Amino acid sequence: MAPSYMRDASLVAGNAPDEVKTILANPMEVLKMYKDGELTGFGRTVLSTLTVTEASLVKKAEEPMRDEARVVCKLIVDEEMLNGANTLHGGCSAFLVDICSTLPIIVYGMMNSDKFLMSVSQSINMTYHSPALLGDELKIVNTTMTVGTKSMIWNVTRKRLVASGIHVKMEPSQP
């Protein structure tokens, strides 16, 4: 029997194979944030509400000979995510870009080489566009680029772009 925190992969849309969707349906499991069945680590309350809704590998519009992975996540802004002005904290936006932008890299690796690509952050560049308020639904659209990922956080409730980020990743060096 699956642990109680496991989410149903059949709810993830897109053309990714079922085994990839199973991994993505449970991003905290992939990111090793569970210990003895309990969610641990930085941002655990935020991540406990994150849902992956789509995982696909598509041809790049500008370069049809190249593939691009796309993963869409969603969540509702709650009190844990707010700053003193009662809007989504910029640090929380950057954290969401950090976590969510890792997922299309996993999709790309698994669908192109059957490898689970491990990576670490090298840099994250954020741009803030508009505030998100308590209770707003956010959609985080992540697509792979040459050596990283572009992420956009959309406010579904207010139909505005909240923040966008470019996340450059690299293979971890050996300790």
Side-chain angles (χ1 to χ4, degrees), residues 129-140:
H129 304 275
S130 67
L133 305 175
L134 180 66
D136 285 354
E137 178 182 348
L138 303 182
K139 177 171 79 170
I140 305 147

Side-chain angles (χ1 to χ4, degrees), residues 23 46 50 57 61 79 92 94 97 101 114 138 145 147 155 165 169:
I23 289 169
V46 172
L50 184 73
L57 190 69
E79 290 184 12
C92 187
V97 166
S101 66
D114 292 330
L138 303 182
M145 296 175 8
V147 291
N155 187 326
K169 308 258 314 186

Side-chain angles (χ1 to χ4, degrees), residues 6 9 17-31 52 103 106 110 116:
M6 296 297 277
D18 289 342
E19 58 270 14
V20 173
K21 289 180 179 180
T22 298
I23 289 169
L24 293 180
N26 300 287
M28 287 70 64
E29 183 78 15
V30 172
L31 300 169
V52 175
L103 302 178
I106 293 169
M110 291 184 74
F116 189 91

Side-chain angles (χ1 to χ4, degrees), residues 116-160:
F116 189 91
L117 301 174
M118 289 302 299
S119 59
V120 295
S121 297
Q122 188 173 38
S123 67
I124 298 176
N125 182 22
M126 294 295 299
T127 302
Y128 299 97
H129 304 275
S130 67
L133 305 175
L134 180 66
D136 285 354
E137 178 182 348
L138 303 182
K139 177 171 79 170
I140 305 147
V141 179
N142 310 278
T143 54
T144 54
M145 296 175 8
T146 304
V147 291
T149 310
K150 172 179 66 175
S151 298
M152 295 183 291
I153 302 175
W154 289 94
N155 187 326
V156 175
T157 306
R158 300 176 195 291
K159 298 181 180 21
R160 297 191 318 195

Side-chain angles (χ1 to χ4, degrees), residues 44-62:
R44 64 184 166 273
T45 55
V46 172
L47 289 181
S48 67
T49 65
L50 184 73
T51 304
V52 175
T53 61
E54 178 189 338
S56 296
L57 190 69
V58 297
K59 295 293 178 193
K60 291 185 83 152
E62 304 81 20

Side-chain angles (χ1 to χ4, degrees), residues 49-121:
T49 65
L50 184 73
T51 304
V52 175
T53 61
E54 178 189 338
S56 296
L57 190 69
V58 297
K59 295 293 178 193
K60 291 185 83 152
E62 304 81 20
E63 299 176 77
M65 299 301 291
R66 300 186 78 171
D67 291 330
E68 172 179 85
R70 172 184 160 100
V71 174
V72 179
C73 304
K74 73 173 184 176
L75 57 76
I76 304 294
V77 177
D78 67 25
E79 290 184 12
E80 296 276 330
M81 302 174 191
L82 300 178
N83 59 21
N86 286 322
T87 62
L88 181 66
H89 193 289
C92 187
S93 296
F95 173 68
L96 290 170
V97 166
D98 182 20
I99 296 300
C100 296
S101 66
T102 299
L103 302 178
I105 293 170
I106 293 169
V107 169
Y108 188 88
M110 291 184 74
M111 291 182 70
N112 275 317
S113 65
D114 292 330
K115 291 182 183 176
F116 189 91
L117 301 174
M118 289 302 299
S119 59
V120 295
S121 297

